[in-house]
Amino acid sequence: MLIYMIRHGQTDWNAEGRLQGQKDIGLNETGRGQATRNGEMLGQIIGKDEGFDYVASPLSRTRETMERLRAAMGIDPLTYRTDERLVELSFGDWEGRTLEEVSHIAPDRLLARAAQKWSFIPPGEAAESYEILSWRVGAWVRSVEAPTVCVSHGGVIRSLFRLIADLSENEAATMPVPQDRILRIDTGASRMEWL
């Protein structure tokens, strides 16, 4: 199945290096521009093809990215759906902090994360590892029944690196995920490429 995966545009927390996780932080001006440019590029690639399913994480930064992307493509910005399985992983008590701030309050935990980023679970209720996130992302991938345009988060895309491209845990957890590019995924051939 063909999936065009887009990470939401930049937020102020992204620019400051803050762990966003499931906090509902909106796009900044840079992020709005990224969303529009990604929509223009996607429009050149697939046109106004109505055969695609459009789905986003329910957080406001992904919804605004999807709406700007669809507007730039010349299609109704509001005709898409959301799926809870596409929400970013939870960083628990660390959400809203930079890694530097975390290093002052929990240096040992930060070292543990660096040693095993894929399976590390931050402190706090409902916190997740990339491994846990990949369970719900995998369930979403198995549910895809049509060519799809998806707007989600960096952690979700890292899960796809592991689930579809079979990257190692370390590679998947540390691979950069740009906000100004589109990831083309062919699930049948287990191929991914940045456009």
Side-chain angles (χ1 to χ4, degrees):
M1 194 62 63
L2 182 61
I3 301 172
Y4 288 100
M5 178 69 64
I6 297 107
R7 183 180 177 192
H8 64 79
Q10 186 186 80
T11 69
D12 286 342
W13 278 24
N14 288 142
E16 295 166 7
R18 296 193 179 282
L19 299 168
Q20 275 178 138
Q22 297 180 0
K23 296 286 188 200
D24 203 6
I25 309 302
L27 299 181
N28 62 21
E29 283 307 309
T30 298
R32 292 183 185 102
Q34 290 168 333
T36 298
R37 285 188 297 280
N38 278 336
E40 291 165 352
M41 177 188 280
L42 192 60
Q44 292 172 3
I45 296 168
I46 67 172
K48 296 181 183 179
D49 190 336
E50 295 301 318
F52 278 80
D53 183 27
Y54 290 81
V55 61
S57 157
L59 296 179
S60 64
R61 60 188 179 268
T62 47
R63 288 186 289 111
E64 183 178 356
T65 298
M66 177 66 88
E67 290 163 17
R68 288 180 174 277
L69 181 138
R70 288 178 59 85
M73 293 176 70
I75 56 180
D76 182 347
L78 301 178
T79 308
Y80 68 95
R81 62 188 182 84
T82 61
D83 191 313
E84 289 285 339
R85 294 173 293 186
L86 295 168
V87 171
E88 181 62 290
L89 71 87
S90 170
F91 288 104
D93 294 344
W94 290 1
E95 290 190 3
R97 298 181 187 273
T98 64
L99 291 178
E100 183 179 343
E101 290 169 351
V102 171
S103 74
H104 296 298
I105 59 171
D108 56 330
R109 298 299 303 267
L110 199 57
L111 287 172
R113 179 181 187 261
Q116 190 53 260
K117 190 173 179 184
W118 184 261
S119 59
F120 178 81
I121 302 174
E125 191 173 327
E128 298 172 296
S129 65
Y130 285 109
E131 177 65 26
I132 293 169
L133 171 65
S134 73
W135 302 340
R136 61 180 159 87
V137 173
W140 173 77
V141 169
R142 289 187 298 277
S143 77
V144 173
E145 296 179 345
T148 298
V149 173
C150 179
V151 177
S152 195
H153 306 270
V156 170
I157 294 172
R158 288 187 180 98
S159 291
L160 294 172
F161 290 152
R162 180 94 177 108
L163 293 166
I164 295 171
D166 199 28
L167 294 183
S168 72
E169 292 178 355
N170 184 58
E171 286 176 304
T174 58
M175 181 81 71
V177 182
Q179 294 170 300
D180 59 352
R181 300 193 52 200
I182 299 168
L183 184 64
R184 185 183 187 276
I185 302 170
D186 180 341
T187 61
S190 300
R191 289 180 31 201
M192 309 173 98
E193 66 175 322
W194 288 105
L195 307 175

